[in-house]
Every structure is written in C-alpha cells, then in structure tokens.
Amino acid sequence: IWCIDCLCVLFPATAWSALQSGGSVLDAVEKGCGRCEVEQCDGSVGYGGSPDESGETTLDAMIMNGDTMEVGAVADLRRIKNAIGVARAVMEHTEHTLLVGESDPSKSCGPYKPRATLKQYKRAQHADTRSHDTIGMIVLDQDGHIAAGTSTNGLTHKVPGRVGDSPIIGAGAYADSTAGGAAATGDGDVMMRFLPSYLAVELMRAGADPSAACKTAISRIKRHYSEFFGAVICANTTGHYGAACNKVPGFSQFHFMVSDSKSDIPLLKSVDCF
C-alpha cells in the first residue's frame, strides 16, 4: 500500500488492516481514504476544510479497479462526508463514471485575470503547498490486483463549481493490474492537463522503473509550467515503487507512506524534488 499526502499512520494502517482481514484492494482504498476523510487530514481532505469563495466545503473523490478498469468519481460534492464511499457507489451501482454536484459561479466572478496576467503568473508563481492537497492511495494485493483512489476538499477559496485533478481518471490516480498504479497531488488545474498518473502507468507498462516513470511524468509538466507544485507516486505489479516531485521554493522534498508485509507499521519515505 502506497499513500500520498497521508503522513498520519492511521490511514495506510487502516487500509492495510482491511487487506489483511480478507478485504479486496478496493475495500482497502475505500477504508484508508475514508479514515482520512473522517480525521479531516490536516484540513485538506474531508468536511470542514478548504472552503470555496462562498465559504462552503465541497469534496472530490475517485476510485479505480485495476482489474476491470471500472471507475467511480464524484466532484463538487456537498452535504456528504464520505466522498470515497460515494465514488465507489457510482462505480458499482451506476453506468456512469463521474457525477458532479450543483455548485456554479453564478454569484461569484472568481479570481479571473486577463490572459497577459495569467501568462506572467504561469512563469512567476510560487508553490503554496497548503492551498491544495489530496490523499491518494495505491493498493496491490498478493494476487496482483491493483486499485487506486483519491479524496480531497480541493483548492482553498476556489471558484464555486471548480473541479481539480483528484476525481479525473488518469490525472489524480490511475490503476491497471497489468502494469501498475499511480497517484498525484499538487496544482490540479495544471496537472490534469497532462494526465500524469496515466502517463506514469503507461511508462511502467513499457518497462520503465517506477521512479523513472514518476520523474518523466513530472518532467512533462515541468517543461510548460516550471514553477508548478506537484508530485507523483508510482507502483508496479511487482511491488516496486517510486516518487518524484517538482522542486520550487518551499517544496524541496516529498513525503509518502508505505505499508507492506515487511513492517508492522507504515513507513515514512521521502524523495528529493528535482
């Protein structure tokens, strides 16, 4: 089990417990992310944090079955705390992939800027590592089944109706039991344009080492947005894993957690950004 942005040992431990007790990889992802939602994960996941411009918290989540390629995702979810559970219900009880809420920017103009200003911002922005965050999880069991999931309450002070990368398949996370899984965190408005999780999995399918796959996925974004804040974790079907992050002021090292049969408790890992 690999967990992104979940430095509390409770969340990967909860997922590991579900797996050890006979649950599926989907059960592990749902329970691990769900525990983070309940505990509100430093205010960046679950109810009550990262309000939009209207002061309301909305949730995004996604879960993916790497065996069947089925996905359930929700975005702009209001008045429901268990976003990852709703995402799984979408996957298992509907024919749809992504359902969104009812918010819209009709009462707020948002932080819009002229294109010239946006181009300057694109070159000069600095990372705000606390303005957007996600729990992302990849689970691989002993039979080779892989699942991945995400949950977040999104960007602080976002325009009502804004959806980030977390519930977008291939952006926030991706899983394919024939290749591996990946999950991402960071500036979702930028990162979703490159589908870094999908790219990382496809690179591993082609034989790339997980660390190299993650680095290539970050490099693809970095060529266009040199100052973006973001990181990706990857795991292949043999259990090897890696991570990569873009180095910007205030963000030079990325931490993630790993749970496996070699340790009784989740282990904190880190990688230097480049």
Side-chain angles (χ1 to χ4, degrees):
I1 297 173
W2 299 267
C3 191
I4 196 171
D5 286 345
C6 58
L7 300 186
C8 176
V9 298
L10 291 175
F11 316 132
T14 299
W16 182 252
S17 177
L19 205 59
Q20 291 293 89
S21 62
S24 68
V25 288
L26 290 170
D27 294 332
V29 168
E30 181 183 1
K31 291 184 180 299
C33 291
R35 181 66 181 271
C36 187
E37 291 171 340
V38 170
E39 301 292 339
Q40 298 175 286
C41 267
D42 194 31
S44 67
V45 176
Y47 65 97
S50 302
D52 63 21
E53 287 188 333
S54 302
E56 184 165 10
T57 295
T58 57
L59 308 182
D60 301 339
M62 184 262 279
I63 191 167
M64 183 168 186
N65 185 334
D67 290 346
T68 64
M69 309 308 288
E70 292 175 301
V71 179
V74 291
D76 199 22
L77 196 66
R78 297 195 286 175
R79 296 183 291 277
I80 294 175
K81 296 179 179 180
N82 180 215
I84 190 71
V86 179
R88 186 171 182 181
V90 170
M91 180 180 71
E92 296 183 340
H93 300 293
T94 80
E95 295 299 319
H96 304 304
T97 294
L98 171 64
L99 298 182
V100 301
E102 60 202 65
S103 295
D104 65 76
S106 61
K107 296 182 180 179
S108 174
C109 290
Y112 303 127
K113 298 177 181 179
R115 282 194 172 273
T117 304
L118 285 174
K119 288 181 179 178
Q120 182 179 8
Y121 173 78
K122 174 179 169 180
R123 293 191 303 267
Q125 66 176 314
H126 295 298
D128 180 358
T129 60
R130 299 188 64 84
S131 68
H132 29 50
D133 222 341
T134 308
I135 179 174
M137 190 170 286
I138 306 164
V139 178
L140 168 67
D141 71 10
Q142 61 184 359
D143 297 317
H145 305 297
I146 294 179
T150 65
S151 182
T152 184
N153 50 36
L155 179 67
T156 303
H157 303 147
K158 59 184 176 282
V159 174
R162 179 262 189 185
V163 176
D165 65 324
S166 295
I168 306 301
I169 303 92
Y174 197 75
D176 186 335
S177 295
T178 66
T185 186
D187 188 346
D189 291 294
V190 168
M191 295 180 73
M192 73 166 73
R193 303 170 191 176
F194 300 87
L195 298 180
S197 294
Y198 174 77
L199 174 59
V201 170
E202 290 305 300
L203 289 168
M204 289 189 291
R205 186 193 308 281
D209 170 85
S211 295
C214 289
K215 189 170 184 178
T216 298
I218 291 294
S219 296
R220 184 75 58 87
I221 308 170
K222 192 181 180 79
R223 285 202 295 269
H224 296 272
Y225 298 90
S226 61
E227 295 296 316
F228 88 100
F229 157 59
V232 177
I233 59 170
C234 306
N236 63 20
T237 55
T238 64
H240 292 88
Y241 60 89
C245 50
N246 185 40
K247 186 176 182 179
V248 291
F251 186 59
S252 60
Q253 193 174 62
F254 176 67
H255 300 276
F256 59 101
M257 300 197 78
V258 178
S259 294
D260 57 31
S261 59
K262 299 176 183 177
S263 175
D264 293 333
I265 61 172
L267 299 176
L268 178 63
K269 303 286 186 176
S270 66
V271 62
D272 291 331
C273 299
F274 71 97

